[in-house]
Amino acid sequence: MAIWILTIGDSDVQLNTDDTWQDLYHEVIEEDEDSILAECEDLGNTPPEDKITKLYPVPARALGLVYQQDLLEEHWDELVFPLLDTFIREFSQNLERPNFVLILLTDQTNIFTDRQKEHIDCPFWQDTVELKTIISYYFSKHPGIEPIFLTIKPQPNSHSKVMKGIDNWEEMLNLVDQTLNKALNDNKINPQTELAYVSHQAGTPAISSALQFITISQFKSVKFLVSNRFYSDEYELQSYPTIIESSNYWRGLQIQRAKRLIEAGQPAAALEIIHDLPDISLGIIDQLKGLANRFNMKANQDASGNVTDISKEFELDVAASRIVDALDLVEILLRNESYALAITILAAAHETFLKAAILHLVSELSKKLEIIEFQGNLIQLLLIELLIWDNRGLCLSSKQELRKLLKNKGPKKHLSDFSTFIDADEELSSLIIFLSPQPHDKDYYNWSKYLSIPKDDTKTWTLNNIHEKRYFEVNNQRLVKWLWNFDALNASSPWKLMEWMGTHNRDREQDKRNQLMHNLRGVTKAELSGYLQGNPEEKDLDKNEDIVEIYGKFIKKPFREALHKVGLSKDCSMDNQLQTHLNDLASQLK
């Protein structure tokens, strides 16, 4: 069995003549002085001719109030039904004839004032509720389809000054859903077994879209019956019906959902939606996979967005790419008010930058350490090889790790010590611009263990002093001091958050990243603003409420400049390349 769900709009019943309107209108007014028609004098004017259709449109409510039951038989030939005639003809000739037609009418009586109703342009007059008598009479002339009328009647909201009428998308989604479901239950119509023809193009876009969404989501089998208008060779406006399968509509809705998710920075969610849709380009799928990995900081991918060698994640160019992506991603997350995730990624971007920048700057130092092996050959140790960056962090190598490195350069022989190094006793800190911990520093205990010296000794860092197995992990506070000791940055100061992260004695309450990670405590917008500014005194706080602007001013701009100064980025561009990629990809999705 089939049913038909139909919307009726203001122009779906019209006059083909202007000869009788004024007389009929005034007859109604004379018979009923309290008629609502009398509130709007302009309704009694002769309706203008539509130059395209050659018809005479009259506001739907007024038309229904004038052409009541006692006038219909005599004046029926004056009424024209362009949309209904097209659909009925299609049911008669090509489609399974439905038993019911659920007809959605509108009534905004309760949301417009008497003063507003005095104007002919008020949407109140375009309501279709008064067309019920005319449409019932129409279907009596086409027996076999029983009309069931449903009225979409918005109500005033006592909690809001804004009147939500039939052009309000959210209101219509809720109201159409409630009205349609009640009608289905009252008439014992099972959406899982009935074929539903849906004609939704009349009425407001809000009602049309709501009906599309609700019927697709509830009915197992849906076909959309629409009317297409065209001009004949004689330039006469004509129409013909078209059936659109619900799968095409569903695909279109899913595509729009995916586009919004992509633009909002959720490529993985978009991928989940479109993965099984027909006719989606594999190139789009691959790009979404790649973006999803970039959002998860997996920058090392093949052409299909799959992560390849994870060991390359510690390579400087790969790390630099992740840092730039992270800065763009944080901006997107802040715009979406995903503050907790933004804080976590931002902290990681700072720490990764410190390590990658130092490694890059040390790699550019020309000094080399030299060793003469037992056959008299010269082996060189690069300064960068004193450092290791792996899952432990950025570390100064142990003697054991250096021997392993040297074995790969020279003879396959155990090197018991570095006595054959020409530079074995040269002080290393100054060579790599490193600020060695001093006895009063918190990390000096680990430093003394690394150099195999008593805790209070100030013996310098040389190859001969390095512990056999111990390495020294450089903490964030020392990394900040070290990096800004290089010529590339020592003319400037760290931005406030970086400077704050480089201090030992931080206020635990202000450390939003640690409070989030260790105590699962969230953050307000105001708290986040202060954090991005480096937690200044209240009097020095920028009160701008736009968190994205605060981020750009206090974090992204100086961060991008520092990336450029140390050689990890070609420019200081503030453009969000990640967002640009997202927008471009969304526009390609069809």
Side-chain angles (χ1 to χ4, degrees):
M1 189 173 75
I3 67 166
W4 182 19
I5 304 174
L6 170 71
T7 59
I8 293 292
D10 181 51
S11 61
D12 292 334
V13 183
Q14 297 190 40
L15 297 174
N16 58 17
T17 178
D18 62 352
D19 292 343
T20 59
W21 173 255
Q22 282 189 306
D23 292 338
L24 295 178
Y25 170 84
H26 288 292
E27 284 179 16
V28 174
I29 299 297
E30 290 171 3
E31 290 178 6
D32 182 6
E33 294 181 356
D34 295 328
S35 172
I36 189 66
L37 290 170
E39 299 296 324
C40 180
E41 296 180 358
D42 291 340
L43 290 172
N45 296 334
T46 302
E49 181 186 31
D50 186 311
K51 301 301 182 183
I52 296 176
T53 64
K54 308 301 182 185
L55 299 177
Y56 299 85
V58 171
R61 185 184 289 271
L63 187 68
L65 289 171
V66 170
Y67 282 79
Q68 287 295 313
Q69 189 71 43
D70 56 339
L71 295 178
L72 284 179
E73 189 65 39
E74 180 182 353
H75 295 278
W76 184 250
D77 291 341
E78 298 169 7
L79 297 172
V80 179
F81 304 83
L83 202 63
L84 281 173
D85 286 345
T86 301
F87 293 151
I88 290 295
R89 184 167 59 251
E90 182 68 5
F91 279 120
S92 300
Q93 297 174 359
N94 301 310
L95 300 178
E96 177 184 355
R97 195 175 185 85
N99 294 330
F100 302 96
V101 55
L102 303 180
I103 302 173
L104 274 65
L105 305 177
T106 62
D107 184 5
Q108 300 174 96
T109 300
N110 295 330
I111 66 170
F112 291 107
T113 65
D114 291 342
R115 185 69 177 270
Q116 290 171 323
K117 294 170 187 176
E118 293 176 3
H119 301 280
I120 193 171
D121 292 331
C122 178
F124 167 81
W125 293 110
Q126 294 155 21
D127 281 332
T128 55
V129 63
E130 298 296 347
L131 294 178
K132 180 176 179 180
T133 300
I134 296 175
I135 294 173
S136 294
Y137 196 81
Y138 178 91
F139 277 99
S140 72
K141 292 181 172 295
H142 298 86
I145 303 179
E146 178 186 348
I148 300 174
F149 293 95
L150 316 179
T151 303
I152 306 299
K153 191 171 185 177
Q155 299 297 327
N157 187 344
S158 59
H159 303 292
S160 173
K161 294 181 180 179
V162 179
M163 294 294 107
K164 296 181 178 180
I166 60 175
D167 58 348
N168 184 283
W169 293 70
E170 182 179 7
E171 182 74 6
M172 287 306 98
L173 183 60
N174 294 328
L175 200 50
V176 171
D177 187 35
Q178 296 170 11
T179 305
L180 184 59
N181 274 296
K182 184 178 185 304
L184 295 177
N185 290 331
D186 291 347
N187 294 279
K188 297 181 173 53
I189 299 172
N190 186 350
Q192 296 303 305
T193 59
E194 306 288 352
L195 165 63
Y197 292 103
V198 179
S199 300
H200 62 86
Q201 67 194 103
T204 66
I207 292 178
S208 174
S209 295
L211 191 57
Q212 288 178 60
F213 180 80
I214 293 165
T215 52
I216 286 175
S217 61
Q218 292 193 11
F219 281 85
K220 186 175 182 179
S221 181
V222 180
K223 295 179 183 290
F224 291 93
L225 175 61
V226 298
S227 176
N228 297 283
R229 308 181 83 180
F230 67 99
Y231 287 98
S232 66
D233 294 339
E234 292 75 29
Y235 204 70
E236 292 180 353
L237 187 63
Q238 298 183 3
S239 62
Y240 67 93
T242 300
I243 285 288
I244 302 176
E245 297 294 333
S246 61
S247 58
N248 293 338
Y249 268 79
W250 179 249
R251 182 184 183 280
L253 289 173
Q254 297 298 77
I255 290 292
Q256 293 305 314
R257 285 182 61 202
K259 283 186 174 186
R260 288 194 294 272
L261 287 170
I262 293 171
E263 291 168 347
Q266 300 182 58
L271 183 62
E272 188 69 24
I273 288 175
I274 71 169
H275 194 272
D276 295 324
L277 292 182
D279 302 322
I280 297 294
S281 164
L282 289 178
I284 296 289
I285 297 293
D286 288 343
Q287 287 187 69
L288 279 175
K289 286 181 179 178
L291 278 170
N293 281 328
R294 284 175 67 182
F295 272 58
N296 288 313
M297 298 297 114
K298 290 292 186 182
N300 194 41
Q301 312 155 21
D302 59 21
S304 297
N306 300 308
V307 179
T308 53
D309 186 358
I310 60 173
S311 66
K312 292 185 178 181
E313 291 180 335
F314 292 101
E315 293 182 359
L316 292 184
D317 58 339
V318 176
S321 177
R322 289 205 309 276
I323 294 167
V324 172
D325 276 354
L327 292 177
D328 286 348
L329 177 55
V330 168
E331 185 176 320
I332 294 170
L333 292 171
L334 292 177
R335 189 174 292 115
N336 294 335
E337 300 186 6
S338 298
Y339 299 149
L341 184 54
I343 286 177
T344 304
I345 293 175
L346 184 59
H350 278 74
E351 295 186 21
T352 305
F353 167 68
L354 290 171
K355 298 161 190 169
I358 288 171
L359 284 169
H360 178 69
L361 292 172
V362 171
S363 72
E364 293 187 326
L365 299 173
S366 58
K367 172 70 177 177
K368 298 178 178 63
L369 300 173
E370 298 181 334
I371 182 174
I372 301 176
E373 48 94 351
F374 76 106
Q375 293 180 340
N377 296 319
L378 183 68
I379 302 175
Q380 292 183 329
L381 185 69
L382 303 177
L383 293 180
I384 189 67
E385 292 172 332
L386 294 170
L387 311 178
I388 294 178
W389 184 24
D390 57 19
N391 53 21
R392 297 172 297 179
L394 182 60
C395 304
L396 307 184
S397 300
S398 68
K399 191 173 288 187
Q400 192 175 71
E401 288 169 324
L402 288 172
R403 280 205 194 91
K404 182 179 179 181
L405 181 64
L406 290 169
K407 278 186 177 182
N408 294 328
K409 292 189 172 192
K412 305 300 180 183
K413 175 185 176 182
H414 178 66
L415 298 172
S416 58
D417 56 44
F418 295 104
S419 60
T420 51
F421 259 99
I422 296 173
D423 303 311
D425 290 315
E426 183 165 359
E427 201 279 326
L428 300 177
S429 295
S430 60
L431 295 181
I432 61 171
I433 327 296
F434 180 68
L435 297 174
S436 298
Q438 300 303 307
H440 61 274
D441 292 329
K442 289 187 175 181
D443 56 348
Y444 186 75
Y445 176 79
N446 290 334
W447 179 249
S448 65
K449 294 295 184 182
Y450 173 64
L451 295 185
S452 303
I453 58 176
K455 184 176 186 299
D456 296 327
D457 200 327
T458 57
K459 198 170 184 180
T460 56
W461 175 30
T462 68
L463 290 171
N464 278 334
N465 289 343
I466 298 174
H467 192 279
E468 179 66 29
K469 294 183 178 179
R470 287 183 181 274
Y471 60 87
F472 180 74
E473 181 182 352
V474 189
N475 64 30
N476 288 339
Q477 291 73 38
R478 191 152 304 281
L479 287 173
V480 173
K481 295 176 182 177
W482 185 4
L483 178 56
W484 263 266
N485 200 35
F486 281 91
D487 290 342
L489 292 177
N490 64 12
S492 61
S493 300
W495 52 96
K496 294 301 181 181
L497 181 58
M498 178 67 87
E499 183 179 322
W500 185 80
M501 292 174 69
T503 60
H504 270 296
N505 299 317
R506 299 198 299 264
D507 185 315
R508 291 181 180 272
E509 182 63 27
Q510 291 180 334
D511 196 338
K512 299 306 177 184
R513 181 265 181 192
N514 280 358
Q515 289 300 321
L516 170 65
M517 294 298 294
H518 303 303
N519 296 318
L520 201 60
R521 295 179 65 193
V523 62
T524 66
K525 185 177 180 180
E527 290 171 336
L528 177 60
S529 180
Y531 177 77
L532 294 177
Q533 297 177 53
N535 299 304
E537 296 290 333
E538 180 69 23
K539 63 182 177 61
D540 299 321
L541 194 65
D542 189 322
K543 300 299 179 62
N544 187 343
E545 294 186 358
D546 190 327
I547 200 70
V548 176
E549 289 185 6
I550 290 289
Y551 169 72
K553 177 180 178 181
F554 289 94
I555 302 292
K556 190 174 183 181
K557 186 176 187 296
F559 206 142
R560 287 306 308 261
E561 290 172 351
L563 277 165
H564 180 57
K565 287 177 180 177
V566 302
L568 290 179
S569 175
K570 294 179 180 179
D571 56 50
C572 311
S573 173
M574 289 285 287
D575 293 341
N576 194 316
Q577 295 300 320
L578 196 55
Q579 186 65 64
T580 299
H581 193 172
L582 289 167
N583 294 343
D584 289 345
L585 185 56
S587 67
Q588 295 174 39
L589 191 58
K590 293 180 171 53

